[in-house]
Amino acid sequence: MAGLGVGVGFGALFLLIGLWWLYRVFKRKRSEKLKKKYFKRNGGLLLQEQLSSGEVNVEKIKMFPSKELDKATDHYNVNRTLGQGGQGTVYKGMLADGKIVAVKKSKVIDEGNLRLFIIEVVLLSQINHRNVVKLLGCCLETELPLLVYEFIPNGTLFQFLHDPNEEFPLAWEMRLRIAAEVAGALFYLHSAASLPIFHRDIKSTNILLDEKYRAKVADFGTSRSVSIDQTHVTTLVQGTFGYLDPEYFQSSQFTDKSDVYSFGVVLVELLTGQKPISFTRSEEQGRSLATYFIMAMESNCLFDILDPQVVKQGEREDVLMVASLARSCLRLNGKERPTMKEVTMVLERIKKSENLIVQQENEYDRNEVMGAPWDVTSASTISSFDICAPSSLDEKPLLHTC
Ligand SMILES: Nc1ncnc2c1ncn2[C@@H]1O[C@H](COP(=O)(O)OP(=O)(O)OP(=O)(O)O)[C@@H](O)[C@H]1O
């Protein structure tokens, strides 16, 4: 009797183990099937096609297994959320090798945009610029495609500008450097990459700051690459209110100069410390920062609207030059705006002259301590350093008369 009982017990146990094993096999098969389905739906086959075309450096794009990213983000734990944007949620994660990454869970991509999404993934993974956030790879075998970026630790320029840290305010020199870095990255994207890439959503929330507060342009979710002679007409206007090129808004035709306009708004944000759209400004003053700034420039009141930090630390001539540059980026007619190359050149030149002044000031301090005589003429020569804008930036810096 006891033997029968043990036999039935073992039989039941084996049956249970068998059922559990069958369930595991079924679950694994179903998960494999689902992964294949999602991979196809998210454009995986298109991506494989691109990778096997031979034109792409395959090593630069990694296909992450969903399990790895699941583990890295602690199952997309809300506590790991870095931010939420129009195209999805971004989580902080740690890969098996200890590397910290930012994982972006995209929203559903409709089939019409799939090809563009994949081309962009390929294109962006090939970009290697110190001021562009690096796309490390992607995962397409999940319900929503995942993009894996290098993690940038110091938040966005928007947070730094509009949620300032009293102990560490954004110095003029730093503002100038960030502006030059962003301009350089855009110049590179517009011209140096094999196909021009337009960012299409330049704004201070898309400029991240690394551990040394160097700018990293992020979020190419709406960017498009175009062949040089191709005019880019879209039916849907994309971008962010306050930064949107009015010419593009009217014509739906996005050009490199639309990025220049948005960059102009970022420059004004850096100069004034004000938000691109603000209801604390009256309608007459201009709810849009671009209008507010242009009106102040036209009525020679620029210095009344500048950030106190800029007024305190910036060389007057340099500040005027940057303001004049921003004004030309904001011209209504895109053709009259400078190119990103010209913008970069002007900013680099101003930055250099600032560095010279800082160097000279340091030297001055040293000489003061050592009691050495100081040649005043050399300082004045530097402050009126030849920082002439390219011919297209023909506006004369305004003199403050308010
Ligand atoms: N590589 C990254 N490293 C660190 N934080 C990041 C990274 N990428 C994005 N973030 C954070 O996640 C937030 C959301 O980013 P996301 O690009 O999705 O949206 P957004 O730019 O704020 O909005 P939208 O996509 O609608 O323009 C960012 O504001 C930033 O704080």
Side-chain angles (χ1 to χ4, degrees):
M1 202 58 188
L4 184 70
V6 171
V8 170
F10 268 113
L13 186 67
F14 280 127
L15 188 70
L16 274 178
I17 292 174
L19 281 175
W20 178 76
W21 182 77
L22 270 176
Y23 169 73
R24 293 273 309 210
V25 170
F26 172 75
K27 213 175 135 191
R28 196 176 321 134
K29 283 229 157 111
R30 216 184 71 159
S31 145
E32 292 296 323
K33 219 170 141 188
L34 259 180
K35 278 184 191 171
K36 273 191 190 148
K37 185 180 135 191
Y38 291 144
F39 184 76
K40 210 168 145 190
R41 196 180 72 185
N42 292 333
L45 300 180
L46 275 171
L47 182 63
Q48 278 175 342
E49 199 183 289
Q50 290 276 325
L51 296 180
S52 57
S53 69
E55 291 163 19
V56 178
N57 185 348
V58 184
E59 275 164 34
K60 284 195 173 170
I61 179 149
K62 185 172 173 197
M63 299 296 287
F64 285 90
S66 54
K67 226 175 170 178
E68 185 175 357
L69 298 184
D70 202 41
K71 213 168 150 194
T73 56
D74 191 17
H75 311 286
Y76 303 96
N77 193 325
V78 278
N79 297 329
R80 298 285 192 94
T81 310
L82 286 170
Q84 203 151 15
Q87 293 134 44
T89 311
V90 184
Y91 299 88
K92 185 175 179 179
M94 187 164 88
L95 298 179
D97 62 3
K99 194 178 172 71
I100 308 286
V101 290
V103 181
K104 189 172 192 169
K105 206 176 206 178
S106 308
K107 285 191 177 158
V108 190
I109 298 164
D110 60 75
E111 253 176 63
N113 281 328
L114 208 56
R115 195 167 190 94
L116 280 172
F117 169 74
I118 294 300
I119 291 174
E120 278 157 26
V121 167
V122 172
L123 248 147
L124 296 176
S125 65
Q126 309 296 301
I127 291 175
N128 204 355
H129 188 280
R130 62 183 181 283
N131 300 116
V132 176
V133 175
K134 183 111 195 73
L135 178 68
L136 303 173
C138 64
C139 173
L140 301 178
E141 58 183 30
T142 41
E143 190 175 0
L144 299 168
L146 301 166
L147 296 171
V148 183
Y149 296 94
E150 64 172 323
F151 174 71
I152 313 295
N154 270 324
T156 67
L157 177 62
F158 184 91
Q159 290 162 345
F160 206 26
L161 266 175
H162 306 301
D163 195 5
N165 178 344
E166 305 250 304
E167 287 159 32
F168 188 23
L170 195 49
W172 164 247
E173 207 192 315
M174 214 156 135
R175 291 174 201 240
L176 200 54
R177 181 176 48 74
I178 289 172
E181 286 169 346
V182 176
L186 286 177
F187 164 40
Y188 168 80
L189 292 168
H190 285 186
S191 59
S194 51
L195 275 179
I197 300 174
F198 302 155
H199 186 285
R200 296 175 141 250
D201 200 13
I202 285 296
K203 53 180 175 178
S204 53
T205 48
N206 280 340
I207 298 165
L208 304 181
L209 300 169
D210 75 2
E211 59 290 346
K212 288 185 178 155
Y213 291 89
R214 279 177 306 216
K216 298 263 188 179
V217 179
D219 199 8
F220 289 80
T222 44
S223 67
R224 296 278 180 275
S225 61
V226 284
S227 62
I228 295 160
D229 56 352
Q230 191 184 335
T231 46
H232 197 77
V233 184
T234 43
T235 44
L236 185 74
V237 172
Q238 290 169 308
T240 303
F241 200 48
Y243 295 88
L244 209 58
D245 168 16
E247 203 179 46
Y248 163 57
F249 190 72
Q250 277 190 343
S251 67
S252 300
Q253 192 167 332
F254 198 95
T255 69
D256 57 336
K257 299 298 181 71
S258 314
D259 270 350
V260 172
Y261 183 92
S262 309
F263 176 79
V265 179
V266 173
L267 260 189
V268 178
E269 256 182 287
L270 283 164
L271 283 169
T272 61
Q274 297 214 27
K275 290 183 181 163
I277 297 286
S278 170
F279 289 95
T280 55
R281 291 190 293 264
S282 70
E283 228 166 287
E284 298 77 59
Q285 281 179 311
R287 297 256 152 88
S288 120
L289 182 58
T291 312
Y292 178 60
F293 170 75
I294 292 169
M295 280 177 4
M297 286 281 279
E298 279 168 4
S299 48
N300 283 357
C301 292
L302 172 70
F303 277 75
D304 290 349
I305 67 161
L306 291 179
D307 189 307
Q309 199 74 14
V310 171
V311 179
K312 204 168 95 188
Q313 297 177 333
E315 281 293 313
R316 185 185 173 80
E317 208 169 323
D318 292 346
V319 173
L320 284 169
M321 201 55 90
V322 176
S324 159
L325 181 67
R327 175 68 188 91
S328 41
C329 292
L330 297 177
R331 288 215 180 105
L332 281 181
N333 183 351
K335 287 197 182 89
E336 289 175 12
R337 295 174 205 151
T339 61
M340 280 320 299
K341 181 181 177 180
E342 288 168 327
V343 172
T344 309
M345 278 164 54
V346 174
L347 287 171
E348 283 297 336
R349 234 181 298 166
I350 300 171
K351 212 177 82 186
K352 243 185 226 160
S353 86
E354 279 274 335
N355 285 346
L356 277 176
I357 290 164
V358 171
Q359 255 178 32
Q360 297 242 344
E361 274 168 2
N362 288 344
E363 204 153 303
Y364 174 76
D365 289 345
R366 259 203 317 275
N367 288 339
E368 278 268 282
V369 172
M370 287 154 57
W374 174 251
D375 178 8
V376 192
T377 50
S378 60
S380 59
T381 322
I382 299 295
S383 59
S384 57
F385 193 63
D386 173 24
I387 325 158
C388 49
S391 54
S392 62
L393 310 172
D394 45 13
E395 251 155 66
K396 293 231 162 24
L398 288 167
L399 287 175
H400 175 55
T401 55
C402 276

